[in-house]
Amino acid sequence: MSRTTAVLGPTDSAERALAPDLARGFMLLFIALANTVWYLWAAPSTGTTMHPEPEGALDSAAQFFTVVAVDMRSYPMFAFLFGYGMVQLARRQEAAGASVRSVNALLRRRNLWLLVFGFFHALLLWMGDILGAYGLTGLVLGWLFFRRKDVTLLVWSGVLTALMALLAALSLLALPFVSDSGTGSGAPAGFDLSQAAANIGDPSFLSAALQRVTTWPLVTVGQGLLGLAVPTAILLGFWAARRGFLEQPGQHLKALRRTAVVGISVGWLGGLPMALAQTGVWDLTAAQGQMLTMPHMLTGLFCGVGYVALIALVAHRLQERGRPRGPVVTALSATGKRSLSAYLAQSVLCAPILAAWGLGLAEHMSSWTMFLYAIAVWLVTVAVAYALERSGRRGPAEVLLRKLAYRKPSGAVGAAGAPASPGSPGTGGAAERGVPESAHQERTTP
């Protein structure tokens, strides 16, 4: 048996399925909208969410949209694409002649390095890092489920969803019996989300870094495994990738349409209670508002998968027309190809500018101005990704991850099966693109 692990060059642009890149590129906007809320350190949160008390109609509108359509809706979508990408990476490597053992080792190394990336991301910039959560969950689920049968994936995703539904139902049943008595303030009797974001309002960089790095393990384990939404979405991504839902959406139009309609409807309707409580339409105490978290998370899982299905339908329509991609589609898909770099760039454009240990600009901002700032940050990353695409360059974070995760084989093969020159353009491999949410595609046509 050959000891060589076939490491493929990047998939040519004409070969890449549009849907995963387009989905990641667009949904990075939602990641920016969700994360920048935490930077409003000078306006304490209500305790229900990290959104502060709205100060007018514009704040209320920004908060209402974010809670209904973004909060706890974007990261399950990326988790789905992360699981999808693991399967596509493995299939492409195995088709090139890599053994199952070497592919499994490659996946483990990539997930371990994601944990390392996440640690330094939290240490230097952002305590809400998601890379560690995806890396940890990828390691655990890769070990337990990656090579299991389809029915096993569906059963366990169903079990986890049912568990979330049970916890959500219990939370709603307990809602009338919860109060904030004994706190002496509007803060909830339980865990206050603002405790996790205290580092952002700390004027000392070193003190803030210590707080971030001590919070990061809780975020990694809590959001990656204990929150249940990420593992469930990754298992569904495993299953969907085996059927090529995103590479060949034309063969799954009925299922995609149903998923988009049901998923987004459940997600938006499920987001209404939290949004109404946050904007003061539904008068709840802070502790009662927190009891809506699990229902919000459950419906967010449906919404995230629904978003993927909707963007797959859009991608299918664009490809069906057979027209050249315009600059908007090209820019969004370019951002999706470089989603790891774009995700990290958001923290670079936010933390030093908004946090108290940096310029502290967020002290003078409210919900609606932060909403606009998030859009601006996303547009900057899209513009940079588009420029990199035009110049034929990959994202710097993707290049670094590949160098760390891939071992140099004695005879790597390029995308067309010929030996790849180490110094030639595009030998970076499709496998590293778009981490953590990458979906690495093979040809979309036979």
Side-chain angles (χ1 to χ4, degrees):
M1 179 181 296
S2 174
R3 297 174 58 188
T4 298
T5 301
V7 180
L8 296 182
T11 306
D12 185 82
S13 296
E15 298 177 306
R16 291 182 68 95
L18 176 62
D21 290 336
L22 192 63
R24 292 193 307 272
F26 179 78
M27 293 303 292
L28 277 164
L29 169 61
F30 280 15
I31 289 292
L33 292 172
N35 287 348
T36 50
V37 169
W38 293 72
Y39 286 102
L40 291 169
W41 53 272
S45 73
T46 60
T48 299
T49 69
M50 278 306 299
H51 297 274
E53 290 282 352
E55 299 179 359
L58 290 177
D59 276 354
S60 294
Q63 291 182 11
F64 191 89
F65 174 82
T66 305
V67 173
V68 168
V70 177
D71 290 349
M72 296 189 182
R73 275 108 182 93
S74 51
Y75 73 82
M77 176 262 194
F78 281 110
F80 177 93
L81 289 174
F82 178 73
Y84 201 102
M86 287 180 64
V87 173
Q88 293 305 95
L89 183 153
R91 283 186 168 180
R92 191 161 184 258
Q93 294 297 320
E94 289 169 9
S99 67
V100 170
R101 182 177 180 180
S102 64
V103 170
N104 289 344
L106 171 60
L107 291 172
R108 285 195 301 271
R109 289 195 301 272
R110 289 178 69 249
N111 287 323
L112 284 170
W113 278 113
L114 280 179
L115 276 168
V116 176
F117 274 47
F119 172 82
F120 283 101
H121 184 208
L123 175 66
L124 299 175
L125 294 170
W126 174 236
M127 86 290 174
D129 164 75
I130 195 63
L131 301 180
Y134 288 162
L136 175 63
T137 310
L139 285 171
V140 174
L141 296 188
W143 171 51
L144 292 175
F145 293 106
F146 192 71
R147 303 288 179 179
R148 303 291 290 275
K149 296 180 179 178
D150 289 353
V151 66
T152 303
L153 301 179
L154 291 177
V155 167
W156 275 99
S157 61
V159 168
L160 294 178
T161 303
L163 180 57
M164 292 177 66
L166 175 61
L167 294 173
L170 292 176
S171 297
L172 293 176
L173 290 174
L175 187 63
F177 308 101
V178 176
S179 69
D180 290 333
S181 59
T183 64
S185 68
F191 177 70
D192 186 348
L193 289 174
S194 62
Q195 296 170 4
N199 68 90
I200 296 174
D202 192 329
S204 168
F205 176 79
L206 293 179
S207 175
L210 179 61
Q211 293 178 60
R212 287 194 300 269
V213 82
T214 54
T215 301
W216 177 76
L218 301 178
V219 174
T220 298
V221 175
Q223 188 160 252
L225 293 174
L226 301 182
L228 301 181
V230 167
T232 305
I234 289 177
L235 290 178
L236 291 173
F238 286 171
W239 177 82
R242 294 178 181 181
R243 282 157 177 74
F245 272 79
L246 302 185
E247 291 85 2
Q248 299 174 330
Q251 298 182 10
H252 307 280
L253 291 178
K254 186 176 180 179
L256 289 171
R257 288 174 183 143
R258 185 187 305 117
T259 301
V261 171
V262 173
I264 296 175
S265 298
V266 169
W268 287 4
L269 289 173
L272 284 177
M274 185 78 82
L276 294 174
Q278 170 59 40
T279 55
V281 177
W282 188 11
D283 187 17
L284 295 178
T285 66
Q288 286 176 323
Q290 284 193 2
M291 299 303 289
L292 299 175
T293 300
M294 185 54 71
H296 199 67
M297 184 183 300
L298 172 64
T299 57
L301 171 63
F302 282 83
C303 195
V305 177
Y307 284 153
V308 176
L310 176 61
I311 296 175
L313 291 170
V314 172
H316 170 69
R317 179 62 62 89
L318 293 172
Q319 291 177 318
E320 192 177 38
R321 293 176 179 176
R323 300 175 183 175
R325 298 179 186 178
V328 173
V329 174
T330 300
L332 289 177
S333 61
T335 307
K337 293 176 186 178
R338 299 159 181 83
S339 55
L340 175 57
S341 295
Y343 170 70
L344 295 174
Q346 289 186 5
S347 295
V348 173
L349 293 171
C350 287
I353 298 173
L354 301 175
W357 52 263
L359 298 180
L361 182 62
E363 182 180 7
H364 311 289
M365 300 175 72
S366 63
S367 292
W368 75 269
T369 54
M370 186 63 77
F371 189 94
L372 295 180
Y373 187 87
I375 295 175
V377 165
W378 175 72
L379 288 175
V380 169
T381 63
V382 171
V384 173
Y386 182 65
L388 291 174
E389 181 77 5
R390 293 289 299 270
S391 63
R393 298 169 61 187
R394 301 185 304 276
E398 284 77 14
V399 172
L400 177 60
L401 180 62
R402 175 174 176 77
K403 289 181 178 179
L404 294 170
Y406 278 70
R407 295 175 178 172
K408 290 185 178 180
S410 58
V413 291
S421 171
S424 62
T427 57
E432 89 284 0
R433 295 191 193 150
V435 179
E437 305 85 28
S438 58
H440 311 298
Q441 304 86 9
E442 299 176 47
R443 292 182 181 269
T444 58
T445 56

